[in-house]
Amino acid sequence: MFGKCLITFLVSMVPIVELRGAIPIGLGMGLPLATTYALCIVGNMLPVPFIFFFARKVLLWGCDKPVIGNFFTYCVKKGEKGGKALQEKAGRGLFLALLIFVGIPLPGTGAWTGTLAASFLDMDFKSSVIAVMGGVLMAGIIMALASMGLFGALGTIFRVTA
């Protein structure tokens, strides 16, 4: 069981995949829902302070470097674009917009992108973390419900045909 927990935890820390991929993986490996949810929330939130304080600086530093420059430039543009889009849509409701942005479980809308966008928008750390945490909790609930529905349907299909 430890190995399954570790895999689920580590997958939830990976950019783009995050808990959106880790919850179905954990449930698919047979971990209990509460364990999977908790591991994914902690794993997805663990990188947030590092992203907020260091990612922008590292990305800007690496934009003009050989080999990594193109990727770093892509990440900077994605962060700036996400931040501008949030700010345009939200106006003064930036906190709520960030929470919803992170909470909608689509590729590119997770804690990594949301935190990077918040740092590019110069949001304060506390508000950023609270909004991202709320979004991660919301995305986790959506993904857990979707995963349970999918696995329940697959279980029913295979029970009927077996």
Side-chain angles (χ1 to χ4, degrees), residues 4 30 35 67 96 104 131 141 154:
K4 292 176 182 179
T35 303
V67 181
L96 184 59
I104 297 172
I141 291 168
L154 289 174

Side-chain angles (χ1 to χ4, degrees), residues 6 22 24 35 38 54 57 79-80 84 92 113-114 128 144 148 154 156 161:
L6 183 61
T35 303
F54 303 115
K57 293 173 185 167
E80 288 175 345
K84 287 178 185 174
R92 293 175 59 181
T113 306
S128 299
M148 290 183 331
L154 289 174
T156 302
T161 60

Side-chain angles (χ1 to χ4, degrees), residues 13-36:
M13 293 174 65
V14 174
I16 301 171
V17 178
E18 301 183 34
L19 98 165
R20 291 147 174 75
I23 287 178
I25 289 170
L27 293 176
M29 289 190 297
L31 289 175
L33 174 61
T35 303
T36 301

Side-chain angles (χ1 to χ4, degrees), residues 15-61:
I16 301 171
V17 178
E18 301 183 34
L19 98 165
R20 291 147 174 75
I23 287 178
I25 289 170
L27 293 176
M29 289 190 297
L31 289 175
L33 174 61
T35 303
T36 301
Y37 186 76
L39 287 168
C40 291
I41 296 300
V42 173
N44 202 189
M45 287 302 296
L46 191 63
V48 166
F50 300 101
I51 298 165
F52 187 86
F53 289 116
F54 303 115
R56 181 178 176 183
K57 293 173 185 167
V58 170
L59 290 172
L60 291 172
W61 167 84

Side-chain angles (χ1 to χ4, degrees), residues 54-136:
F54 303 115
R56 181 178 176 183
K57 293 173 185 167
V58 170
L59 290 172
L60 291 172
W61 167 84
C63 282
D64 62 349
K65 305 295 184 267
V67 181
I68 60 171
N70 288 339
F71 176 70
F72 279 38
T73 301
Y74 167 79
C75 291
V76 167
K77 286 180 182 176
K78 184 157 179 65
E80 288 175 345
K81 182 181 175 185
K84 287 178 185 174
L86 270 177
Q87 198 164 35
E88 287 172 7
K89 289 179 183 176
R92 293 175 59 181
L94 191 56
F95 175 88
L96 184 59
L98 180 61
L99 186 143
I100 293 168
F101 176 80
V102 174
I104 297 172
L106 297 171
T109 63
W112 282 75
T113 306
T115 305
L116 187 59
S119 74
F120 275 104
L121 291 171
D122 295 320
M123 284 182 70
D124 68 286
F125 178 71
K126 182 179 177 183
S127 296
S128 299
V129 170
I130 293 171
V132 170
M133 176 64 130
V136 167

